[in-house]
Amino acid sequence: MLTIDSLSKSYGKKQILNNISLSIEKGEIIGLVGENGAGKSTLIQLLATIDKPTSGSIILGESNYARHKKEIRKQIGFVPQELALWEEFTVKENMLFFEKLSWIRKSTGELKQLCLDMSLDKWDEPVHTLSGGMKRKLNLAISLIHDPPLLLLDEPTVGIDLKSRKEIGNYLQLQAKEHGKIVIYISHDMDEITSLCDRVVCIGEDPFYEEILAKTGTELIVF
Ligand SMILES: Nc1ncnc2c1ncn2[C@@H]1O[C@H](COP(=O)(O)OP(=O)(O)O)[C@@H](O)[C@H]1O
Ligand SMILES: [Mg+2]
C-alpha cells in the first residue's frame, strides 16, 4: 500500500501542492489529471523520490520515504515526461545498458520478453528509427527491468498513435490486475483515463474534469 499523508510542496513562496492525503491499494490504477502547471509532475516527482515534500509524509509498504530512500528507490519504476534513451543504440542495446544500471539481473531473453509483452518487437532496430509510440514503450520497458511494485508514469501516451496507446493501456491493466502493482499515471486523454483508472485524482478544482468523470461514474478526488 502507498500512503500519502498531508503532503504539501512549495517552491519558494509559491505553494504547488496543498495537503494531499491518499491511500492506494495494490492493484489500483490511479489517474492524475489537472490543467497545465497544476502540479501533476511535481506530485509524481515527490513519489519518485526526485524531489522532497515541504511537509507531510509518504509511506510505501513498510518504508517511509524520509528514512528509507534507498529501499524505496528499488521499488519504483518511473517514466519521466521526457524520453531518456540512447538514440543510436538498438532496442536490445538500450535494454542491456539499463539492465546493468539496475539492481536486479535479467537475462537477454527476459529483457526481450519484457519488450514483447508491450508489442515492442523491433529488438535489433536503432532507437532513432522507431515511432514515438515504440520509443514510449521502450522507456516503459526500461522502467520495469527491476520489476517494481510501484509504477509512476508522466504522460506515457502523449502524442502517440492509438494502437500503441491501447497496447500500453492493456499492459498497465495487466500489471495492476494480474501482478498487483500500483500504477499512477498522468494523462490528458479522458477516454483513456475513464477506461483504465479505478480512481482519478485532480490537482486543483476543475469543472471540466468533474463533469466528464461524473458521467462515467469514475471516482474523483480533488486537491
Ligand atoms: N523546480 C521548480 N522550481 C520552481 N518552480 C517549479 C519547479 N518545478 C515546477 N515548478 C512550478 O510548479 C508548478 C507545477 O508544475 P508541474 O508539476 O510541472 O505541473 P503539471 O505537470 O501539472 O503541468 C508550475 O507552476 C511550475 O512552474
Ligand atoms: Mg507535467
Side-chain angles (χ1 to χ4, degrees), residues 176-194:
K177 304 307 165 195
E178 301 277 314
H179 302 290
K181 292 184 192 289
I182 292 175
V183 179
I184 302 178
Y185 88 107
I186 300 175
S187 175
H188 290 284
D189 183 325
M190 292 312 279
D191 285 339
E192 190 177 285
I193 289 271
T194 52

Side-chain angles (χ1 to χ4, degrees), residues 52-213:
K52 282 189 188 152
T54 309
S55 60
S57 69
I58 311 171
I59 294 168
L60 178 61
E62 307 285 300
S63 310
N64 189 316
Y65 271 54
R67 286 193 287 279
H68 306 112
K69 194 150 106 180
K70 223 172 139 190
E71 280 311 303
I72 295 280
R73 285 202 165 149
K74 292 183 177 178
Q75 299 182 60
I76 293 170
F78 175 49
V79 182
Q81 216 165 335
E82 287 79 33
L83 293 164
L85 300 168
W86 296 96
E87 292 276 334
E88 301 303 319
F89 289 0
T90 64
V91 169
K92 178 183 177 182
E93 287 163 345
N94 269 275
M95 290 297 280
L96 290 174
F97 174 83
F98 284 103
E99 191 268 347
K100 296 261 183 301
L101 299 183
S102 164
W103 66 284
I104 279 185
R105 298 282 68 83
K106 284 265 160 87
S107 70
T108 307
E110 285 171 319
L111 294 173
K112 188 170 185 178
Q113 190 56 47
L114 202 52
C115 293
L116 291 175
D117 289 345
M118 261 176 278
S119 314
L120 171 56
D121 54 6
K122 314 262 181 204
W123 188 240
D124 291 311
E125 315 275 332
V127 167
H128 68 84
T129 66
L130 303 183
S131 68
M134 289 285 178
K135 287 185 189 179
R136 279 280 158 197
K137 285 180 187 173
L138 177 54
N139 230 23
L140 188 54
I142 287 167
S143 77
L144 295 170
I145 289 174
H146 59 298
D147 204 21
L150 173 60
L151 294 182
L152 303 168
L153 314 163
D154 198 342
E155 305 199 24
T157 55
V158 75
I160 68 173
D161 58 286
L162 190 60
K163 185 163 170 283
S164 295
R165 233 185 301 167
K166 284 241 150 57
E167 285 164 349
I168 288 177
N170 291 341
Y171 185 80
L172 294 179
Q173 198 124 37
L174 185 81
Q175 289 299 316
K177 304 307 165 195
E178 301 277 314
H179 302 290
K181 292 184 192 289
I182 292 175
V183 179
I184 302 178
Y185 88 107
I186 300 175
S187 175
H188 290 284
D189 183 325
M190 292 312 279
D191 285 339
E192 190 177 285
I193 289 271
T194 52
S195 66
L196 272 184
C197 296
D198 300 300
R199 292 187 284 165
V200 175
V201 171
C202 183
I203 311 286
E205 284 179 23
D206 199 312
F208 169 74
Y209 291 112
E210 284 167 33
E211 194 186 319
I212 294 177
L213 293 166

Side-chain angles (χ1 to χ4, degrees), residues 11-12 14 16-17 33-43 45 51 81 154-155 186 188 203:
Y11 290 115
K14 193 171 167 195
I16 310 295
L17 301 173
V33 301
E35 60 185 41
N36 282 336
K40 304 179 295 297
S41 294
T42 301
L43 178 56
Q45 281 162 16
D51 207 344
Q81 216 165 335
D154 198 342
E155 305 199 24
I186 300 175
H188 290 284
I203 311 286

